[in-house]
Amino acid sequence: QRNQDFKAQMLALITVDIFFVPSKDLSPRLLKVKDDAMRLGQVDTAMIALHQALRFRVFGGEKLSFIAQSAEAQVKLMSKHSTFCAKYARLEIILLGELMGKNNELSHDYLQSEVNSSSEARYLHQVHFYSFLVAFWKGDYLSAEQSSHATLQFPTARMPYIIPIYHQFYGALTAFHLYRMLGGDERFAEGVEMMQNVSTWAKVSA
């Protein structure tokens, strides 16, 4: 019963509270769930909460160097207790490295190898999303557009949680940028649709 309580707390934080609580404030709450679950031996729930806490730190505007100080140790802990969570957390590590200028072609090669080797739809959705963000922040907007379209192929791409929310926002910026540079009415329409989705979610959280 207590494990179900921890899972319910975690799900509420990442699917409901995300609309009402700043991302930077969700991470410590998830870490508390992780600590409480670990004390009662609910390791799987604890590792999922730890991964989600890392994700919200990356997207929450915290200084990247502070996140990097603990991120590798957290992934090692996940690797010890949950290879499932560690696999997902490595995507945050790659993005973190790219944003700090520490990755190069190795990140692209890793992400591409994951696309080629995995058949898990939810994981592939997130691999394409992180490939999109890496390309976006490198200014490679054509590659970002390609990865964005690949991301949209998955049913989870339009669900209201942190990854689709960020994808819709940055996807719209990508579409508008390429429309301005290269044209294409379909790009403009895509950007408008994505921004409308973001606007809808924003109204829900107001």
Side-chain angles (χ1 to χ4, degrees), residues 147-178:
S147 293
S148 177
H149 290 166
T151 303
L152 289 170
Q153 296 176 8
F154 297 91
T156 49
R158 289 179 172 82
M159 295 174 63
Y161 71 103
I162 191 167
I163 283 182
I165 290 171
Y166 275 82
H167 175 230
Q168 292 287 311
F169 179 75
Y170 285 105
L173 296 185
T174 301
F176 288 143
H177 177 81
L178 289 175

Side-chain angles (χ1 to χ4, degrees), residues 23-24 56-64 67 166:
S23 294
K24 65 182 180 62
F56 277 98
R57 290 184 73 193
V58 172
F59 288 103
E62 187 175 343
K63 191 172 182 179
L64 298 178
I67 304 173
Y166 275 82

Side-chain angles (χ1 to χ4, degrees), residues 6 19 29 38 43 45 58 74 86 96 100-101 106 109 112 115 124 132-133 166 172 176 179 181 184 190:
F6 291 139
F19 291 105
R29 298 185 190 187
M38 283 294 282
V43 178
T45 298
V58 172
Q74 289 175 336
L96 190 62
M100 297 178 66
L106 291 177
D109 293 344
Q112 189 58 51
V115 169
L124 283 172
F132 159 69
L133 278 187
Y166 275 82
F176 288 143
Y179 172 74
M181 301 300 294
E190 180 179 61

Side-chain angles (χ1 to χ4, degrees), residues 26-88:
L26 288 174
S27 182
R29 298 185 190 187
L30 285 161
L31 288 175
K32 184 179 185 306
V33 173
K34 170 254 181 185
D35 291 340
D36 291 343
M38 283 294 282
R39 276 194 289 270
L40 291 182
Q42 307 298 343
V43 178
D44 288 343
T45 298
M47 291 302 101
I48 296 172
L50 178 60
H51 168 234
Q52 292 297 325
L54 172 60
R55 173 171 290 172
F56 277 98
R57 290 184 73 193
V58 172
F59 288 103
E62 187 175 343
K63 191 172 182 179
L64 298 178
S65 59
F66 290 165
I67 304 173
Q69 290 174 6
S70 57
E72 289 289 353
Q74 289 175 336
V75 173
K76 286 181 181 179
L77 181 62
M78 290 181 225
S79 298
K80 178 180 178 181
H81 295 291
S82 173
T83 56
F84 174 83
C85 290
K87 178 176 69 172
Y88 280 80

